Amino acid sequence: MTDSTPSPAEPDQGWVYNEGIWSLGEDPVMNQPGAEHDLYAAIKAAGYETWTGIGKEYTMPLTLTIYSRLQEPRYLFDLEGAIHSEWVYARTLPDALALLNQLAPTLQALAVTDQIARAEPKSMSVLADLLDTLHGRSRDTGGRVVGS
């Protein structure tokens, strides 16, 4: 059995998405001095700035923040779950858009599920009306579905 953990002299590795292929490359964030103590400072020190984000921290089960910089890998995708965070890199804008396209269905489903779970009783009727309209249903005055 071999240990794949880099020795202290080896640079940290991160996953890089490039033209549809994943490969390990030098991790520009984790190779910043002090990265293990302050990740956001390391992200900034590596030259990354927030490009866009999806989801609100602590209100969705998974959020995504995308950072960009001028040198490659140009994009950093930071996926944050309730307990653990992971990130990967995209070499160019086309790579970032392809990766975002792959993540979109999961993020959209999580956002919709989160919104339904957090719906207030007063807005539930609006949600029910929307679903009824989408499915071609109507309800009687007692709220029971009639027709289909």
PDB file of all heavy atoms in Angstrom, residues 75-108:
ATOM      1  N   TYR A  75     -10.192  29.744 -12.223  1.00  0.00           N
ATOM      2  CA  TYR A  75     -11.401  29.679 -11.402  1.00  0.00           C
ATOM      3  C   TYR A  75     -11.257  28.669 -10.273  1.00  0.00           C
ATOM      4  O   TYR A  75     -10.745  27.575 -10.462  1.00  0.00           O
ATOM      5  CB  TYR A  75     -12.617  29.338 -12.277  1.00  0.00           C
ATOM      6  CG  TYR A  75     -12.832  30.409 -13.314  1.00  0.00           C
ATOM      7  CD1 TYR A  75     -12.240  30.321 -14.559  1.00  0.00           C
ATOM      8  CD2 TYR A  75     -13.570  31.546 -13.009  1.00  0.00           C
ATOM      9  CE1 TYR A  75     -12.398  31.329 -15.496  1.00  0.00           C
ATOM     10  CE2 TYR A  75     -13.729  32.556 -13.942  1.00  0.00           C
ATOM     11  CZ  TYR A  75     -13.130  32.439 -15.175  1.00  0.00           C
ATOM     12  OH  TYR A  75     -13.279  33.442 -16.084  1.00  0.00           O
ATOM     13  N   LEU A  76     -11.730  29.061  -9.119  1.00  0.00           N
ATOM     14  CA  LEU A  76     -11.763  28.226  -7.922  1.00  0.00           C
ATOM     15  C   LEU A  76     -13.229  28.024  -7.559  1.00  0.00           C
ATOM     16  O   LEU A  76     -13.957  28.992  -7.349  1.00  0.00           O
ATOM     17  CB  LEU A  76     -11.021  28.923  -6.777  1.00  0.00           C
ATOM     18  CG  LEU A  76     -11.238  28.418  -5.361  1.00  0.00           C
ATOM     19  CD1 LEU A  76     -10.741  26.990  -5.208  1.00  0.00           C
ATOM     20  CD2 LEU A  76     -10.541  29.330  -4.366  1.00  0.00           C
ATOM     21  N   PHE A  77     -13.676  26.773  -7.528  1.00  0.00           N
ATOM     22  CA  PHE A  77     -15.045  26.420  -7.154  1.00  0.00           C
ATOM     23  C   PHE A  77     -15.015  25.911  -5.716  1.00  0.00           C
ATOM     24  O   PHE A  77     -14.438  24.859  -5.452  1.00  0.00           O
ATOM     25  CB  PHE A  77     -15.580  25.304  -8.052  1.00  0.00           C
ATOM     26  CG  PHE A  77     -16.071  25.768  -9.395  1.00  0.00           C
ATOM     27  CD1 PHE A  77     -15.216  26.364 -10.300  1.00  0.00           C
ATOM     28  CD2 PHE A  77     -17.395  25.586  -9.754  1.00  0.00           C
ATOM     29  CE1 PHE A  77     -15.657  26.776 -11.544  1.00  0.00           C
ATOM     30  CE2 PHE A  77     -17.851  25.989 -10.998  1.00  0.00           C
ATOM     31  CZ  PHE A  77     -16.986  26.597 -11.898  1.00  0.00           C
ATOM     32  N   ASP A  78     -15.614  26.645  -4.809  1.00  0.00           N
ATOM     33  CA  ASP A  78     -15.659  26.277  -3.394  1.00  0.00           C
ATOM     34  C   ASP A  78     -17.055  25.768  -3.068  1.00  0.00           C
ATOM     35  O   ASP A  78     -18.012  26.543  -3.023  1.00  0.00           O
ATOM     36  CB  ASP A  78     -15.307  27.494  -2.539  1.00  0.00           C
ATOM     37  CG  ASP A  78     -15.281  27.193  -1.052  1.00  0.00           C
ATOM     38  OD1 ASP A  78     -15.278  26.008  -0.673  1.00  0.00           O
ATOM     39  OD2 ASP A  78     -15.286  28.161  -0.263  1.00  0.00           O
ATOM     40  N   LEU A  79     -17.187  24.452  -2.861  1.00  0.00           N
ATOM     41  CA  LEU A  79     -18.457  23.817  -2.506  1.00  0.00           C
ATOM     42  C   LEU A  79     -18.482  23.608  -0.995  1.00  0.00           C
ATOM     43  O   LEU A  79     -17.625  22.911  -0.460  1.00  0.00           O
ATOM     44  CB  LEU A  79     -18.596  22.464  -3.213  1.00  0.00           C
ATOM     45  CG  LEU A  79     -18.793  22.541  -4.714  1.00  0.00           C
ATOM     46  CD1 LEU A  79     -18.390  21.242  -5.373  1.00  0.00           C
ATOM     47  CD2 LEU A  79     -20.245  22.863  -5.015  1.00  0.00           C
ATOM     48  N   GLU A  80     -19.461  24.243  -0.347  1.00  0.00           N
ATOM     49  CA  GLU A  80     -19.553  24.136   1.106  1.00  0.00           C
ATOM     50  C   GLU A  80     -20.817  23.407   1.511  1.00  0.00           C
ATOM     51  O   GLU A  80     -21.921  23.813   1.161  1.00  0.00           O
ATOM     52  CB  GLU A  80     -19.544  25.525   1.739  1.00  0.00           C
ATOM     53  CG  GLU A  80     -18.215  26.223   1.600  1.00  0.00           C
ATOM     54  CD  GLU A  80     -18.132  27.479   2.439  1.00  0.00           C
ATOM     55  OE1 GLU A  80     -18.542  27.434   3.616  1.00  0.00           O
ATOM     56  OE2 GLU A  80     -17.663  28.480   1.902  1.00  0.00           O
ATOM     57  N   GLY A  81     -20.627  22.309   2.230  1.00  0.00           N
ATOM     58  CA  GLY A  81     -21.743  21.577   2.808  1.00  0.00           C
ATOM     59  C   GLY A  81     -21.943  22.009   4.249  1.00  0.00           C
ATOM     60  O   GLY A  81     -21.250  22.895   4.753  1.00  0.00           O
ATOM     61  N   ALA A  82     -22.879  21.383   4.910  1.00  0.00           N
ATOM     62  CA  ALA A  82     -23.168  21.738   6.295  1.00  0.00           C
ATOM     63  C   ALA A  82     -22.001  21.424   7.224  1.00  0.00           C
ATOM     64  O   ALA A  82     -21.800  22.105   8.225  1.00  0.00           O
ATOM     65  CB  ALA A  82     -24.420  21.007   6.760  1.00  0.00           C
ATOM     66  N   ILE A  83     -21.206  20.419   6.881  1.00  0.00           N
ATOM     67  CA  ILE A  83     -20.131  19.987   7.762  1.00  0.00           C
ATOM     68  C   ILE A  83     -18.757  20.122   7.113  1.00  0.00           C
ATOM     69  O   ILE A  83     -17.777  20.418   7.782  1.00  0.00           O
ATOM     70  CB  ILE A  83     -20.353  18.516   8.191  1.00  0.00           C
ATOM     71  CG1 ILE A  83     -21.663  18.408   8.959  1.00  0.00           C
ATOM     72  CG2 ILE A  83     -19.195  17.993   9.012  1.00  0.00           C
ATOM     73  CD1 ILE A  83     -22.101  17.001   9.255  1.00  0.00           C
ATOM     74  N   HIS A  84     -18.679  19.935   5.817  1.00  0.00           N
ATOM     75  CA  HIS A  84     -17.386  19.846   5.140  1.00  0.00           C
ATOM     76  C   HIS A  84     -17.380  20.710   3.883  1.00  0.00           C
ATOM     77  O   HIS A  84     -18.413  20.944   3.281  1.00  0.00           O
ATOM     78  CB  HIS A  84     -17.128  18.377   4.783  1.00  0.00           C
ATOM     79  CG  HIS A  84     -15.749  18.087   4.325  1.00  0.00           C
ATOM     80  ND1 HIS A  84     -14.649  18.188   5.133  1.00  0.00           N
ATOM     81  CD2 HIS A  84     -15.285  17.691   3.122  1.00  0.00           C
ATOM     82  CE1 HIS A  84     -13.568  17.868   4.444  1.00  0.00           C
ATOM     83  NE2 HIS A  84     -13.929  17.567   3.224  1.00  0.00           N
ATOM     84  N   SER A  85     -16.213  21.160   3.518  1.00  0.00           N
ATOM     85  CA  SER A  85     -16.041  21.982   2.323  1.00  0.00           C
ATOM     86  C   SER A  85     -15.005  21.337   1.409  1.00  0.00           C
ATOM     87  O   SER A  85     -14.044  20.744   1.879  1.00  0.00           O
ATOM     88  CB  SER A  85     -15.576  23.381   2.740  1.00  0.00           C
ATOM     89  OG  SER A  85     -15.339  24.185   1.622  1.00  0.00           O
ATOM     90  N   GLU A  86     -15.222  21.457   0.116  1.00  0.00           N
ATOM     91  CA  GLU A  86     -14.278  20.958  -0.883  1.00  0.00           C
ATOM     92  C   GLU A  86     -14.133  22.029  -1.950  1.00  0.00           C
ATOM     93  O   GLU A  86     -15.047  22.798  -2.190  1.00  0.00           O
ATOM     94  CB  GLU A  86     -14.792  19.683  -1.555  1.00  0.00           C
ATOM     95  CG  GLU A  86     -14.858  18.483  -0.655  1.00  0.00           C
ATOM     96  CD  GLU A  86     -13.512  17.857  -0.373  1.00  0.00           C
ATOM     97  OE1 GLU A  86     -12.557  18.075  -1.144  1.00  0.00           O
ATOM     98  OE2 GLU A  86     -13.414  17.125   0.623  1.00  0.00           O
ATOM     99  N   TRP A  87     -12.988  22.057  -2.615  1.00  0.00           N
ATOM    100  CA  TRP A  87     -12.875  22.931  -3.769  1.00  0.00           C
ATOM    101  C   TRP A  87     -12.085  22.283  -4.863  1.00  0.00           C
ATOM    102  O   TRP A  87     -11.298  21.375  -4.642  1.00  0.00           O
ATOM    103  CB  TRP A  87     -12.336  24.312  -3.443  1.00  0.00           C
ATOM    104  CG  TRP A  87     -10.916  24.394  -2.964  1.00  0.00           C
ATOM    105  CD1 TRP A  87      -9.771  24.117  -3.667  1.00  0.00           C
ATOM    106  CD2 TRP A  87     -10.497  24.806  -1.691  1.00  0.00           C
ATOM    107  NE1 TRP A  87      -8.671  24.352  -2.901  1.00  0.00           N
ATOM    108  CE2 TRP A  87      -9.089  24.778  -1.662  1.00  0.00           C
ATOM    109  CE3 TRP A  87     -11.158  25.227  -0.545  1.00  0.00           C
ATOM    110  CZ2 TRP A  87      -8.350  25.136  -0.563  1.00  0.00           C
ATOM    111  CZ3 TRP A  87     -10.421  25.578   0.550  1.00  0.00           C
ATOM    112  CH2 TRP A  87      -9.040  25.532   0.537  1.00  0.00           C
ATOM    113  N   VAL A  88     -12.380  22.767  -6.073  1.00  0.00           N
ATOM    114  CA  VAL A  88     -11.692  22.322  -7.280  1.00  0.00           C
ATOM    115  C   VAL A  88     -11.422  23.554  -8.133  1.00  0.00           C
ATOM    116  O   VAL A  88     -11.974  24.631  -7.882  1.00  0.00           O
ATOM    117  CB  VAL A  88     -12.526  21.286  -8.077  1.00  0.00           C
ATOM    118  CG1 VAL A  88     -12.744  20.018  -7.264  1.00  0.00           C
ATOM    119  CG2 VAL A  88     -13.850  21.870  -8.533  1.00  0.00           C
ATOM    120  N   TYR A  89     -10.602  23.376  -9.135  1.00  0.00           N
ATOM    121  CA  TYR A  89     -10.230  24.479 -10.012  1.00  0.00           C
ATOM    122  C   TYR A  89     -10.685  24.204 -11.438  1.00  0.00           C
ATOM    123  O   TYR A  89     -10.765  23.050 -11.856  1.00  0.00           O
ATOM    124  CB  TYR A  89      -8.703  24.660 -10.010  1.00  0.00           C
ATOM    125  CG  TYR A  89      -8.166  25.009  -8.650  1.00  0.00           C
ATOM    126  CD1 TYR A  89      -7.733  24.013  -7.783  1.00  0.00           C
ATOM    127  CD2 TYR A  89      -8.100  26.324  -8.225  1.00  0.00           C
ATOM    128  CE1 TYR A  89      -7.246  24.326  -6.525  1.00  0.00           C
ATOM    129  CE2 TYR A  89      -7.616  26.644  -6.966  1.00  0.00           C
ATOM    130  CZ  TYR A  89      -7.197  25.642  -6.124  1.00  0.00           C
ATOM    131  OH  TYR A  89      -6.726  25.953  -4.877  1.00  0.00           O
ATOM    132  N   ALA A  90     -10.962  25.270 -12.173  1.00  0.00           N
ATOM    133  CA  ALA A  90     -11.237  25.191 -13.604  1.00  0.00           C
ATOM    134  C   ALA A  90     -10.186  26.062 -14.282  1.00  0.00           C
ATOM    135  O   ALA A  90      -9.960  27.205 -13.876  1.00  0.00           O
ATOM    136  CB  ALA A  90     -12.639  25.675 -13.920  1.00  0.00           C
ATOM    137  N   ARG A  91      -9.531  25.516 -15.301  1.00  0.00           N
ATOM    138  CA  ARG A  91      -8.404  26.204 -15.927  1.00  0.00           C
ATOM    139  C   ARG A  91      -8.819  27.488 -16.638  1.00  0.00           C
ATOM    140  O   ARG A  91      -8.163  28.512 -16.500  1.00  0.00           O
ATOM    141  CB  ARG A  91      -7.695  25.267 -16.899  1.00  0.00           C
ATOM    142  CG  ARG A  91      -6.378  25.810 -17.425  1.00  0.00           C
ATOM    143  CD  ARG A  91      -5.669  24.840 -18.336  1.00  0.00           C
ATOM    144  NE  ARG A  91      -6.357  24.632 -19.588  1.00  0.00           N
ATOM    145  CZ  ARG A  91      -6.238  25.411 -20.662  1.00  0.00           C
ATOM    146  NH1 ARG A  91      -5.449  26.449 -20.644  1.00  0.00           N
ATOM    147  NH2 ARG A  91      -6.913  25.145 -21.751  1.00  0.00           N
ATOM    148  N   THR A  92      -9.899  27.464 -17.431  1.00  0.00           N
ATOM    149  CA  THR A  92     -10.312  28.614 -18.237  1.00  0.00           C
ATOM    150  C   THR A  92     -11.797  28.880 -18.061  1.00  0.00           C
ATOM    151  O   THR A  92     -12.515  28.081 -17.428  1.00  0.00           O
ATOM    152  CB  THR A  92     -10.047  28.349 -19.729  1.00  0.00           C
ATOM    153  OG1 THR A  92     -10.883  27.258 -20.146  1.00  0.00           O
ATOM    154  CG2 THR A  92      -8.577  28.023 -20.013  1.00  0.00           C
ATOM    155  N   LEU A  93     -12.289  29.965 -18.658  1.00  0.00           N
ATOM    156  CA  LEU A  93     -13.724  30.263 -18.602  1.00  0.00           C
ATOM    157  C   LEU A  93     -14.566  29.148 -19.213  1.00  0.00           C
ATOM    158  O   LEU A  93     -15.548  28.735 -18.592  1.00  0.00           O
ATOM    159  CB  LEU A  93     -14.019  31.609 -19.274  1.00  0.00           C
ATOM    160  CG  LEU A  93     -15.496  32.006 -19.318  1.00  0.00           C
ATOM    161  CD1 LEU A  93     -16.077  32.124 -17.908  1.00  0.00           C
ATOM    162  CD2 LEU A  93     -15.675  33.302 -20.085  1.00  0.00           C
ATOM    163  N   PRO A  94     -14.227  28.612 -20.397  1.00  0.00           N
ATOM    164  CA  PRO A  94     -15.034  27.493 -20.911  1.00  0.00           C
ATOM    165  C   PRO A  94     -15.070  26.299 -19.955  1.00  0.00           C
ATOM    166  O   PRO A  94     -16.101  25.652 -19.805  1.00  0.00           O
ATOM    167  CB  PRO A  94     -14.349  27.129 -22.231  1.00  0.00           C
ATOM    168  CG  PRO A  94     -13.707  28.404 -22.670  1.00  0.00           C
ATOM    169  CD  PRO A  94     -13.239  29.061 -21.382  1.00  0.00           C
ATOM    170  N   ASP A  95     -13.956  26.036 -19.275  1.00  0.00           N
ATOM    171  CA  ASP A  95     -13.934  24.949 -18.286  1.00  0.00           C
ATOM    172  C   ASP A  95     -14.858  25.275 -17.116  1.00  0.00           C
ATOM    173  O   ASP A  95     -15.590  24.417 -16.631  1.00  0.00           O
ATOM    174  CB  ASP A  95     -12.510  24.708 -17.778  1.00  0.00           C
ATOM    175  CG  ASP A  95     -11.564  24.239 -18.870  1.00  0.00           C
ATOM    176  OD1 ASP A  95     -11.974  23.424 -19.711  1.00  0.00           O
ATOM    177  OD2 ASP A  95     -10.410  24.708 -18.872  1.00  0.00           O
ATOM    178  N   ALA A  96     -14.831  26.521 -16.645  1.00  0.00           N
ATOM    179  CA  ALA A  96     -15.678  26.942 -15.530  1.00  0.00           C
ATOM    180  C   ALA A  96     -17.154  26.835 -15.906  1.00  0.00           C
ATOM    181  O   ALA A  96     -17.970  26.370 -15.107  1.00  0.00           O
ATOM    182  CB  ALA A  96     -15.334  28.374 -15.109  1.00  0.00           C
ATOM    183  N   LEU A  97     -17.505  27.257 -17.119  1.00  0.00           N
ATOM    184  CA  LEU A  97     -18.900  27.180 -17.554  1.00  0.00           C
ATOM    185  C   LEU A  97     -19.349  25.726 -17.705  1.00  0.00           C
ATOM    186  O   LEU A  97     -20.484  25.386 -17.341  1.00  0.00           O
ATOM    187  CB  LEU A  97     -19.085  27.948 -18.860  1.00  0.00           C
ATOM    188  CG  LEU A  97     -18.881  29.458 -18.751  1.00  0.00           C
ATOM    189  CD1 LEU A  97     -18.965  30.109 -20.126  1.00  0.00           C
ATOM    190  CD2 LEU A  97     -19.863  30.090 -17.784  1.00  0.00           C
ATOM    191  N   ALA A  98     -18.487  24.854 -18.194  1.00  0.00           N
ATOM    192  CA  ALA A  98     -18.828  23.433 -18.307  1.00  0.00           C
ATOM    193  C   ALA A  98     -19.029  22.816 -16.925  1.00  0.00           C
ATOM    194  O   ALA A  98     -19.974  22.046 -16.711  1.00  0.00           O
ATOM    195  CB  ALA A  98     -17.740  22.684 -19.074  1.00  0.00           C
ATOM    196  N   LEU A  99     -18.169  23.160 -15.999  1.00  0.00           N
ATOM    197  CA  LEU A  99     -18.299  22.634 -14.641  1.00  0.00           C
ATOM    198  C   LEU A  99     -19.556  23.174 -13.964  1.00  0.00           C
ATOM    199  O   LEU A  99     -20.291  22.428 -13.313  1.00  0.00           O
ATOM    200  CB  LEU A  99     -17.049  22.992 -13.830  1.00  0.00           C
ATOM    201  CG  LEU A  99     -16.930  22.398 -12.439  1.00  0.00           C
ATOM    202  CD1 LEU A  99     -17.097  20.886 -12.444  1.00  0.00           C
ATOM    203  CD2 LEU A  99     -15.583  22.784 -11.834  1.00  0.00           C
ATOM    204  N   LEU A 100     -19.837  24.448 -14.138  1.00  0.00           N
ATOM    205  CA  LEU A 100     -21.052  25.039 -13.584  1.00  0.00           C
ATOM    206  C   LEU A 100     -22.288  24.366 -14.168  1.00  0.00           C
ATOM    207  O   LEU A 100     -23.255  24.092 -13.455  1.00  0.00           O
ATOM    208  CB  LEU A 100     -21.075  26.542 -13.849  1.00  0.00           C
ATOM    209  CG  LEU A 100     -22.197  27.337 -13.203  1.00  0.00           C
ATOM    210  CD1 LEU A 100     -22.192  27.155 -11.687  1.00  0.00           C
ATOM    211  CD2 LEU A 100     -22.066  28.805 -13.552  1.00  0.00           C
ATOM    212  N   ASN A 101     -22.252  24.059 -15.448  1.00  0.00           N
ATOM    213  CA  ASN A 101     -23.350  23.360 -16.104  1.00  0.00           C
ATOM    214  C   ASN A 101     -23.572  21.972 -15.489  1.00  0.00           C
ATOM    215  O   ASN A 101     -24.698  21.525 -15.351  1.00  0.00           O
ATOM    216  CB  ASN A 101     -23.085  23.253 -17.599  1.00  0.00           C
ATOM    217  CG  ASN A 101     -24.271  22.722 -18.350  1.00  0.00           C
ATOM    218  OD1 ASN A 101     -25.391  23.179 -18.171  1.00  0.00           O
ATOM    219  ND2 ASN A 101     -24.035  21.735 -19.197  1.00  0.00           N
ATOM    220  N   GLN A 102     -22.499  21.301 -15.110  1.00  0.00           N
ATOM    221  CA  GLN A 102     -22.613  19.989 -14.473  1.00  0.00           C
ATOM    222  C   GLN A 102     -23.219  20.096 -13.073  1.00  0.00           C
ATOM    223  O   GLN A 102     -23.947  19.209 -12.631  1.00  0.00           O
ATOM    224  CB  GLN A 102     -21.246  19.315 -14.384  1.00  0.00           C
ATOM    225  CG  GLN A 102     -20.692  18.868 -15.710  1.00  0.00           C
ATOM    226  CD  GLN A 102     -19.315  18.244 -15.560  1.00  0.00           C
ATOM    227  OE1 GLN A 102     -18.987  17.662 -14.543  1.00  0.00           O
ATOM    228  NE2 GLN A 102     -18.500  18.373 -16.601  1.00  0.00           N
ATOM    229  N   LEU A 103     -22.895  21.169 -12.373  1.00  0.00           N
ATOM    230  CA  LEU A 103     -23.375  21.343 -11.003  1.00  0.00           C
ATOM    231  C   LEU A 103     -24.788  21.932 -10.927  1.00  0.00           C
ATOM    232  O   LEU A 103     -25.468  21.800  -9.913  1.00  0.00           O
ATOM    233  CB  LEU A 103     -22.425  22.257 -10.228  1.00  0.00           C
ATOM    234  CG  LEU A 103     -21.036  21.701  -9.959  1.00  0.00           C
ATOM    235  CD1 LEU A 103     -20.119  22.793  -9.424  1.00  0.00           C
ATOM    236  CD2 LEU A 103     -21.118  20.536  -8.978  1.00  0.00           C
ATOM    237  N   ALA A 104     -25.231  22.599 -11.986  1.00  0.00           N
ATOM    238  CA  ALA A 104     -26.497  23.337 -11.966  1.00  0.00           C
ATOM    239  C   ALA A 104     -27.705  22.501 -11.529  1.00  0.00           C
ATOM    240  O   ALA A 104     -28.479  22.962 -10.685  1.00  0.00           O
ATOM    241  CB  ALA A 104     -26.745  23.991 -13.316  1.00  0.00           C
ATOM    242  N   PRO A 105     -27.924  21.292 -12.059  1.00  0.00           N
ATOM    243  CA  PRO A 105     -29.109  20.542 -11.626  1.00  0.00           C
ATOM    244  C   PRO A 105     -29.119  20.249 -10.121  1.00  0.00           C
ATOM    245  O   PRO A 105     -30.157  20.355  -9.472  1.00  0.00           O
ATOM    246  CB  PRO A 105     -29.035  19.242 -12.438  1.00  0.00           C
ATOM    247  CG  PRO A 105     -28.197  19.584 -13.625  1.00  0.00           C
ATOM    248  CD  PRO A 105     -27.201  20.605 -13.135  1.00  0.00           C
ATOM    249  N   THR A 106     -27.986  19.909  -9.570  1.00  0.00           N
ATOM    250  CA  THR A 106     -27.905  19.633  -8.128  1.00  0.00           C
ATOM    251  C   THR A 106     -28.187  20.889  -7.329  1.00  0.00           C
ATOM    252  O   THR A 106     -28.981  20.871  -6.379  1.00  0.00           O
ATOM    253  CB  THR A 106     -26.515  19.080  -7.768  1.00  0.00           C
ATOM    254  OG1 THR A 106     -26.300  17.878  -8.502  1.00  0.00           O
ATOM    255  CG2 THR A 106     -26.394  18.822  -6.273  1.00  0.00           C
ATOM    256  N   LEU A 107     -27.562  21.992  -7.697  1.00  0.00           N
ATOM    257  CA  LEU A 107     -27.756  23.239  -6.969  1.00  0.00           C
ATOM    258  C   LEU A 107     -29.196  23.736  -7.089  1.00  0.00           C
ATOM    259  O   LEU A 107     -29.781  24.226  -6.116  1.00  0.00           O
ATOM    260  CB  LEU A 107     -26.773  24.299  -7.456  1.00  0.00           C
ATOM    261  CG  LEU A 107     -25.306  23.968  -7.173  1.00  0.00           C
ATOM    262  CD1 LEU A 107     -24.399  24.885  -7.966  1.00  0.00           C
ATOM    263  CD2 LEU A 107     -25.018  24.046  -5.689  1.00  0.00           C
ATOM    264  N   GLN A 108     -29.794  23.602  -8.266  1.00  0.00           N
ATOM    265  CA  GLN A 108     -31.172  24.031  -8.458  1.00  0.00           C
ATOM    266  C   GLN A 108     -32.122  23.189  -7.610  1.00  0.00           C
ATOM    267  O   GLN A 108     -33.009  23.726  -6.952  1.00  0.00           O
ATOM    268  CB  GLN A 108     -31.555  23.936  -9.930  1.00  0.00           C
ATOM    269  CG  GLN A 108     -32.961  24.427 -10.210  1.00  0.00           C
ATOM    270  CD  GLN A 108     -33.328  24.319 -11.672  1.00  0.00           C
ATOM    271  OE1 GLN A 108     -32.805  23.479 -12.396  1.00  0.00           O
ATOM    272  NE2 GLN A 108     -34.218  25.170 -12.110  1.00  0.00           N
TER     273      GLN A 108
END
